[in-house]
Amino acid sequence: MRDMQDDDTKSPAPPPAAAAAARRAAGQAAPDASALRDRFAKLAQADTPEAATDAAAAAAADDEVTRIRALIDEMRPTFRRDGGDIELVRVEGAKVIVHLSGACAGCMLAGQTLYGVQKRITDILGRPFRVIPDIRH
C-alpha cells in the first residue's frame, strides 16, 4: 500500500512543450537541439576506437602509396633503358594499377615484368599486392 501512495505523490515530468514554455516565461532561452546533437556526435566520434583506427589506416595507406611510388621510380631506369616506361596510376587496396608505355606497352614479356614489380612490392611492404596494367586508349 505504501508503494501506491508514493506513486500518487510523485509529479510527472512536464511535456517538452510545457518545459520550453516555462523556460521562455522565466526569460531563459531554449537550448539549440541541433547544436547539442552535432556536439554530441563529434564527441562520440572522437572517443570511438574506430575513429582512431580509421585515421591510422588512412595514414598507413598513404605511407604505402608513397613507398610503392618510390619503388616504381627506383625501377624506372631499367624500363627506360629498354625503351619503355612505367608509371603508377593509382592504388586501390591491394591492387596497384600501372601504365606501361613505349616498348613495354607491346612487349611479349610485359606480364613477367609486371610479376617482377609485384614481387618486389610484396617483398618490400610485407603483404601481397597485385600489379595490374592500365589500358588507355
Side-chain angles (χ1 to χ4, degrees):
M1 190 63 134
R2 178 83 176 130
D3 292 335
M4 291 183 73
Q5 288 176 348
D6 286 343
D7 289 340
D8 291 340
T9 59
K10 291 181 184 176
S11 61
R23 273 195 303 275
R24 278 193 298 272
Q28 296 175 343
D32 183 13
S34 62
L36 289 173
R37 200 173 23 252
D38 292 343
R39 186 172 177 197
F40 179 76
K42 287 178 185 177
L43 289 173
Q45 286 177 347
D47 291 342
T48 60
E50 291 86 16
T53 304
D54 290 346
D62 288 344
D63 182 48
E64 279 186 344
V65 171
T66 303
R67 292 175 71 188
I68 290 169
R69 188 176 311 277
L71 283 168
I72 289 176
D73 287 343
E74 182 181 305
M75 299 169 88
R76 181 169 274 146
T78 305
F79 285 87
R80 288 184 176 166
R81 197 173 324 124
D82 292 335
D85 200 3
I86 185 172
E87 74 177 271
L88 178 65
V89 175
R90 66 185 174 275
V91 178
E92 297 174 350
K95 293 180 189 175
V96 177
I97 293 95
V98 297
H99 177 70
L100 296 174
S101 59
C104 293
C107 181
M108 297 290 289
L109 299 174
Q112 290 179 349
T113 301
L114 291 178
Y115 174 75
V117 172
Q118 175 178 308
K119 183 159 177 29
R120 176 94 187 241
I121 291 171
T122 299
D123 289 346
I124 297 295
L125 295 179
R127 73 177 186 101
F129 282 90
R130 185 168 183 190
V131 177
I132 302 169
D134 182 38
I135 309 297
R136 296 182 189 175
H137 297 283

